[in-house]
C-alpha cells in the first residue's frame, strides 16, 4: 500500500511539473508573439509617421518642354500649363536674357503693350511717349529718339511674340530674377506685400504639408522665405530662389511684412477740360452742303458750347479719311464763342475694315496723321471719335489708336472725346478706364435701349436705363470727364397681327402732330421717366410709342448736376423743339 501511494504522489507531481512546463512554454510563446507584434507595430508606425527622405526633382514641379523654356513665378504663384491647351511657355531664357510671352504679359502685368502681327511692330504708350520696337532688333525708339537694350526687344518663338524683360521693366513696375535647373523667372509686382520669415535651423522643404511629402530642397538655417499660406501646422512658402513648398510652422522664425518697392515714376495724364459744363450738339452731315446751315443754328439762343459736325469718316483701309471740313463753318462758330469738335466715324463709308485699319501700325499711323492734319489745317478745337460696331478682335488696336491720337492731340492743344455705348458686358472691350486716362472726355450715348434691330419693342432711353448706365460709367471714368449723351428722338413701334415688328425713328419735334393725327393720348410712366402712347390701326396692328419729349429730357438732364458730370450731348440737331434749349440751359449752367 505505501508503495502504491508513493507512485500516485509521484505521478501527480510529474503531472503538475508537466503542466507548469506547458504553461511556461505557452507564456514564452505568448511573450514572443507579443514581442513580434510590438516590433512589427513599431516598424509600421515608424514607416507611417517617420519623415520620408524621398526627393522630388524640381523639373517635376516646374515642367517645361524645351531647353529655353522657363516657368514664370509671379508673386509666389505660377500656372501649370494644361494638357488640353496648345503648349506655349509663359517665359523663355535665351542667351541669358529673359522673355515673357506677350499674352501672359498683357493678362497678368500690363495690358498697354500692343503688338502688330502683320508688320511685327511692338508699341507701348505712356503719358508722354510712344515707344516702338520691331521684331528681332535690340534698338527701339522713344518718340523719335533712339534707345537699345542688350538683346532683341521682341523675338518670335512657338509662332508667338515674346518680349524682353529688360525692356519691360522700363515701363512696367516689376522686379525680376532668373534661376536655372530648371529655368524659372521670378517676378514681383510693385506693391506686393510679402510676409517674410526665416528658417529655424536646417529643414526639408516638401512639396506638400506633411512629413511623407517628397523633399524639393534642403532649406538652411536663417534662409529667408516668404510665407504664402498658413495651413495650421504647416505653411506654404517660397524661397529666394523660387522654390515653392511647405515647411512646419514650428520651423519658421519671426514674421515681417515687406512691400515690393516701386521704381516707375507715377504717370500724370493731362486732360483739357472746360471750366463750364459742356453742351455738345451733333450735327449729322451727308454732304458738305450741310455746312451752310451753321448760320441758322448759331442764330438761335441754344446755349450750345460745342458743335460736333460729322465731318470725318474712314475712307479706305490704309488710314485715309473723307472730310467735309469747312473753314467758314469753324470761323463762324469761333465768332459765336462755340468750339468745333469734328466727329470721325467708322460707319459712314462702305467697304472699310476697322480691324485692318486699327490693328496694322502703318494704317493706324496714317489715320492719326490724317485726322491731325485736317484738324490743324482748319483750326478745329477737338476731335470726337465715334467708332461703333467694333468686334473684340479690334479691341487692342482701337485702344492703341486712342492712346496714340491723344498724345498728338495734347501736343497740339486739341480736345479728344470718345463716344461709348451704355456700359454692358458685350462692349467692355472698348476699355473705358483706359480711354479715361488718355481722352479728355468720354461720352456715354445714353440711348438705343431698344434699337432698330431689337426683337422687342421698348423705350429708347428710359430713366432707369440711363441712371444705371451713369452709375456703371462712373466706375470707370471720373465724373468731370463724363458727358451724358441724350436723344432728341424716339422709335415708333408697330406690331402686326402676326407679331411682326417694324419701327421708325421720329424726332421730338414731330411727335405732337403724330399723336394728334392718330388720336393718341400720352400717359406718364413714372417708373420709366417718360410718356407712353399706343393706338390700334385699321389693319388691327398696334402702334406703341415711348415718347422722348421735354419732360423725359428734363428727367435725364437732372442727372448731370446730380452726378456732377462734365457735360451734355444731344443726337441730333434738327430733331429737337426750339423750346428745349431753355430747359437744357437750366441744367447746364
Amino acid at each position: 500500500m505505501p508503495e502504491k501511494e508513493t507512485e500516485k504522489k509521484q505521478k501527480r507531481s510529474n503531472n503538475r511539473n508537466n503542466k507548469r512546463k506547458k504553461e511556461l512554454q505557452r507564456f514564452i510563446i505568448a511573450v514572443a508573439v507579443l514581442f513580434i507584434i510590438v516590433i512589427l507595430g513599431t516598424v509600421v508606425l515608424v514607416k507611417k509617421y517617420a519623415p520620408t527622405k524621398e526627393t522630388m526633382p524640381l523639373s517635376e514641379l516646374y515642367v517645361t518642354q524645351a531647353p529655353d523654356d522657363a516657368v514664370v513665378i509671379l508673386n509666389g504663384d505660377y500656372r501649370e500649363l494644361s494638357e488640353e491647351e496648345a503648349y506655349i511657355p509663359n517665359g523663355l531664357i535665351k542667351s541669358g536674357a529673359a522673355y515673357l510671352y506677350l499674352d501672359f504679359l498683357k493678362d497678368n502685368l500690363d495690358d498697354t503693350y500692343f503688338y502688330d502681327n502683320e508688320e511685327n511692330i511692338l508699341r507701348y504708350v505712356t503719358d508722354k511717349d510712344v515707344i516702338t520696337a520691331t521684331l528681332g532688333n535690340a534698338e527701339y525708339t522713344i518718340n523719335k529718339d533712339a534707345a537699345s537694350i542688350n538683346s532683341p526687344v521682341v523675338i518670335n518663338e512657338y509662332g508667338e511674340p515674346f518680349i524682353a524683360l529688360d525692356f519691360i521693366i522700363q515701363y512696367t513696375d516689376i522686379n525680376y530674377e532668373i534661376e536655372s535647373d530648371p529655368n524659372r523667372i521670378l517676378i514681383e509686382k510693385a506693391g506686393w506685400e510679402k510676409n517674410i520669415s526665416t528658417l529655424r535651423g536646417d529643414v526639408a522643404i516638401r512639396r506638400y504639408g506633411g512629413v511623407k511629402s517628397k523633399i524639393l530642397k534642403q532649406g538652411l538655417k536663417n534662409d529667408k522665405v516668404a510665407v504664402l499660406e498658413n495651413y495650421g501646422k504647416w505653411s506654404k512658402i517660397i524661397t529666394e530662389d523660387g522654390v515653392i513648398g511647405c515647411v512646419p510652422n514650428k520651423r519658421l522664425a519671426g514674421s515681417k511684412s515687406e512691400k515690393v518697392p516701386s521704381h516707375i515714376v507715377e504717370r500724370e495724364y493731362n486732360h483739357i477740360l472746360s471750366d463750364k459744363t459742356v453742351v455738345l450738339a451733333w450735327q449729322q452731315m451727308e454732304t458738305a452742303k450741310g455746312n451752310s446751315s451753321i448760320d441758322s443754328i448759331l442764330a438761335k439762343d441754344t446755349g450750345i458750347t460745342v458743335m460736333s459736325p460729322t465731318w470725318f469718316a474712314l475712307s479706305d483701309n490704309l488710314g485715309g479719311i473723307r472730310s467735309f471740313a469747312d473753314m467758314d463753318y469753324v470761323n463762324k462758330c469761333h465768332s459765336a464763342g462755340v468750339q468745333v469738335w469734328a466727329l470721325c466715324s467708322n460707319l459712314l463709308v462702305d467697304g472699310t475694315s476697322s480691324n485692318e485699319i486699327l490693328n496694322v501700325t502703318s494704317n493706324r499711323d496714317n489715320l492719326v496723321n490724317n485726322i491731325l492734319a485736317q484738324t490743324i489745317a482748319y483750326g478745329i478745337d477737338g476731335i470726337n471719335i465715334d467708332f461703333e460696331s467694333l468686334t473684340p478682335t479690334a479691341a487692342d488696336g482701337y485702344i492703341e489708336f486712342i492712346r496714340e491720337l491723344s498724345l498728338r492731340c495734347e501736343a497740339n492743344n486739341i480736345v479728344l472725346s470718345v463716344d461709348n455705348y451704355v456700359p454692358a458686358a458685350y462692349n467692355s472691350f472698348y476699355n473705358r478706364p483706359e480711354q479715361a486716362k488718355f481722352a479728355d472726355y468720354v461720352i456715354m450715348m445714353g440711348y438705343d435701349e431698344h434699337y432698330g434691330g431689337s426683337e422687342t419693342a421698348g423705350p429708347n432711353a428710359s430713366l432707369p436705363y440711363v441712371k444705371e448706365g451713369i452709375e456703371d460709367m462712373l466706375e470707370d471714368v471720373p465724373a468731370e470727364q463724363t458727358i451724358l449723351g441724350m436723344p432728341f428722338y424716339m422709335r415708333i413701334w408697330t406690331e402686326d397681327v402676326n407679331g411682326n415688328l417694324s419701327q421708325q425713328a421720329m424726332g421730338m419735334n414731330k411727335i405732337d402732330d403724330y399723336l394728334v393725327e392718330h388720336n393718341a393720348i400720352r400717359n406718364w410712366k413714372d417708373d420709366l421717366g417718360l410718356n407712353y402712347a399706343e393706338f390700334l390701326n385699321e389693319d388691327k396692328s398696334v402702334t406703341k410709342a415711348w415718347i422722348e419729349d421735354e419732360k423725359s429730357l428734363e428727367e435725364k438732364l437732372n442727372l448731370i448736376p446730380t452726378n456732377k458730370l462734365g457735360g451734355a450731348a444731344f443726337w441730333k440737331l434738327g430733331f429737337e423743339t426750339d423750346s428745349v434749349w431753355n430747359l437744357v440751359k437750366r441744367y447746364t449752367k
Side-chain angles (χ1 to χ4, degrees):
M1 286 293 295
E3 289 180 1
K4 290 183 179 180
E5 193 65 35
T6 301
E7 275 182 31
K8 289 181 180 179
K9 288 181 180 179
Q10 185 64 42
K11 191 175 183 179
R12 285 196 294 269
S13 176
N14 290 339
N15 290 337
R16 285 196 295 269
N17 289 336
N18 289 336
K19 186 177 181 180
R20 289 192 188 100
K21 286 179 182 180
K22 290 179 180 179
E23 288 176 351
L24 180 59
Q25 288 174 350
R26 286 196 292 267
F27 176 75
I28 292 171
I29 291 170
V31 170
V33 170
L34 180 60
F35 180 74
I36 291 170
I37 291 173
V38 170
I39 294 298
L40 291 174
T42 302
V43 169
V44 170
L45 289 173
V46 168
K47 188 174 182 180
K48 182 176 180 179
Y49 294 107
T52 184
K53 294 183 179 180
E54 188 177 1
T55 61
M56 175 181 176
L58 289 181
S59 59
E60 293 183 15
L61 177 65
Y62 302 128
V63 179
T64 57
Q65 291 188 7
D68 293 335
D69 296 354
V71 169
V72 178
I73 301 170
L74 173 60
N75 289 356
D77 194 16
Y78 72 100
R79 183 177 72 88
E80 296 184 43
L81 299 179
S82 168
E83 293 181 0
E84 287 76 27
E85 60 186 330
Y87 175 81
I88 300 175
N90 290 328
L92 297 171
I93 299 176
K94 295 183 72 70
S95 303
Y99 289 83
L100 291 185
Y101 177 34
L102 178 64
D103 284 3
F104 177 87
L105 170 61
K106 290 174 66 67
D107 291 344
N108 297 279
L109 296 173
D110 190 340
D111 191 38
T112 310
Y113 295 87
F114 175 81
Y115 189 71
D116 172 358
N117 284 292
E118 182 168 323
E119 297 183 336
N120 295 317
I121 296 174
L122 177 72
R123 281 274 171 88
Y124 189 92
V125 181
T126 70
D127 55 340
K128 297 179 178 65
D129 303 313
V130 177
I131 299 93
T132 304
T134 55
L135 180 67
N137 292 317
E139 296 77 25
Y140 58 96
T141 60
I142 304 173
N143 299 321
K144 295 182 180 180
D145 298 329
S148 66
I149 57 175
N150 293 325
S151 59
V153 175
V154 187
I155 61 175
N156 188 294
E157 297 285 337
Y158 295 92
E160 297 287 343
F162 286 76
I163 317 301
L165 265 159
D166 283 345
F167 176 83
I168 294 169
I169 60 172
Q170 298 181 68
Y171 305 106
T172 302
D173 214 354
I174 60 171
N175 301 320
Y176 84 93
E177 292 182 9
I178 297 174
E179 297 291 341
S180 58
D181 299 325
N183 286 344
R184 51 200 187 277
I185 302 170
L186 281 61
I187 297 177
E188 295 179 343
K189 283 184 178 181
W192 180 43
E193 289 195 26
K194 303 184 288 183
N195 183 19
I196 303 298
S197 293
T198 56
L199 297 181
R200 197 191 303 270
D202 296 351
V203 58
I205 299 172
R206 301 181 180 275
R207 177 70 178 92
Y208 302 108
V211 295
K212 290 304 179 182
S213 184
K214 294 179 181 179
I215 298 171
L216 296 172
K217 70 170 288 185
Q218 203 63 38
L220 302 178
K221 181 180 180 180
N222 295 327
D223 279 356
K224 288 178 64 176
V225 297
V227 178
L228 304 174
E229 193 171 354
N230 191 318
Y231 296 142
K233 292 184 178 181
W234 290 73
S235 281
K236 181 180 179 182
I237 57 97
I238 182 170
T239 64
E240 290 186 305
D241 63 347
V243 175
I244 299 173
C246 295
V247 297
N249 283 338
K250 64 184 179 181
R251 306 303 296 274
L252 293 172
S255 179
K256 180 176 69 173
S257 179
E258 288 185 4
K259 182 180 288 189
V260 177
S262 171
H263 70 275
I264 300 288
V265 176
E266 186 174 355
R267 292 170 188 160
E268 296 181 4
Y269 297 92
N270 300 317
H271 299 104
I272 305 171
L273 299 179
S274 174
D275 55 0
K276 298 179 180 179
T277 302
V278 173
V279 179
L280 178 149
W282 282 296
Q283 182 183 10
Q284 187 176 24
M285 291 190 191
E286 297 181 356
T287 68
K289 292 180 179 179
N291 290 314
S292 61
S293 63
I294 190 61
D295 289 311
S296 60
I297 293 170
L298 296 175
K300 299 177 183 179
D301 182 17
T302 59
I304 293 171
T305 64
V306 176
M307 286 293 298
S308 184
T310 59
W311 275 349
F312 304 144
L314 307 182
S315 62
D316 58 44
N317 291 333
L318 300 177
I321 59 172
R322 178 222 69 190
S323 174
F324 296 151
D326 183 89
M327 185 68 78
D328 191 47
Y329 185 106
V330 174
N331 289 336
K332 288 177 178 179
C333 285
H334 287 174
S335 295
V338 175
Q339 291 190 1
V340 178
W341 297 359
L343 181 146
C344 182
S345 170
N346 68 326
L347 297 178
L348 301 180
V349 178
D350 292 335
T352 58
S353 167
S354 297
N355 279 23
E356 189 170 339
I357 296 167
L358 297 174
N359 289 337
V360 178
T361 304
S362 59
N363 297 342
R364 195 176 60 251
D365 286 347
N366 288 339
L367 177 59
V368 171
N369 290 335
N370 287 330
I371 291 173
L372 263 293
Q374 288 281 308
T375 304
I376 293 169
Y378 287 91
I380 298 168
D381 306 284
I383 292 296
N384 175 233
I385 298 299
D386 184 49
F387 280 17
E388 301 185 33
S389 299
L390 294 178
T391 62
T393 54
D396 280 359
Y398 171 71
I399 201 63
E400 183 66 13
F401 165 63
I402 298 299
R403 294 183 188 118
E404 294 170 6
L405 178 61
S406 75
L407 294 194
R408 296 286 300 280
C409 285
E410 181 182 347
N412 290 279
N413 199 36
I414 296 167
V415 179
L416 177 61
S417 61
V418 185
D419 299 341
N420 284 264
Y421 299 114
V422 171
Y426 80 91
N427 60 47
S428 61
F429 67 84
Y430 273 77
N431 201 343
R432 290 175 294 274
E434 193 74 355
Q435 287 184 36
K437 285 183 185 178
F438 288 91
D440 300 302
Y441 288 101
V442 181
I443 301 177
M444 186 188 86
M445 299 180 291
Y447 37 83
D448 283 343
E449 180 179 0
H450 291 80
Y451 53 95
S454 293
E455 295 181 357
T456 58
N460 185 25
S462 69
L463 187 61
Y465 176 75
V466 178
K467 277 185 174 180
E468 184 177 357
I470 290 174
E471 290 174 5
D472 293 341
M473 195 77 173
L474 295 181
E475 292 181 4
D476 297 332
V477 183
E480 64 271 17
Q481 288 180 253
T482 301
I483 292 176
L484 172 60
M486 290 162 280
F488 281 157
Y489 73 99
M490 68 219 74
R491 297 187 186 279
I492 309 299
W493 300 85
T494 299
E495 183 176 355
D496 67 19
V497 293
N498 297 315
N500 298 313
L501 274 178
S502 61
Q503 60 82 34
Q504 61 173 315
M506 181 174 293
M508 61 170 58
N509 57 348
K510 304 290 186 182
I511 189 63
D512 286 349
D513 290 343
Y514 181 82
L515 295 178
V516 169
E517 178 186 352
H518 293 279
N519 295 315
I521 299 174
R522 68 183 77 197
N523 295 289
W524 179 254
K525 300 292 184 180
D526 198 52
D527 58 331
L528 298 177
L530 42 73
N531 279 299
Y532 174 78
E534 71 173 63
F535 55 86
L536 186 65
N537 299 293
E538 291 183 0
D539 61 359
K540 306 301 181 183
S541 64
V542 178
T543 296
K544 302 176 180 180
W546 287 265
I547 299 166
E548 294 293 343
D549 53 19
E550 290 188 23
K551 188 172 183 180
S552 67
L553 183 63
E554 183 171 15
E555 294 286 328
K556 288 183 268 287
L557 282 167
N558 188 48
L559 299 174
I560 295 172
T562 299
N563 292 280
K564 300 180 180 179
L565 303 184
F570 303 95
W571 181 266
K572 65 178 178 172
L573 281 179
F575 276 173
E576 81 281 12
T577 58
D578 288 341
S579 59
V580 81
W581 295 112
N582 290 327
L583 187 64
V584 171
K585 285 187 285 185
R586 191 187 315 162
Y587 287 92
T588 57
K589 290 181 181 179

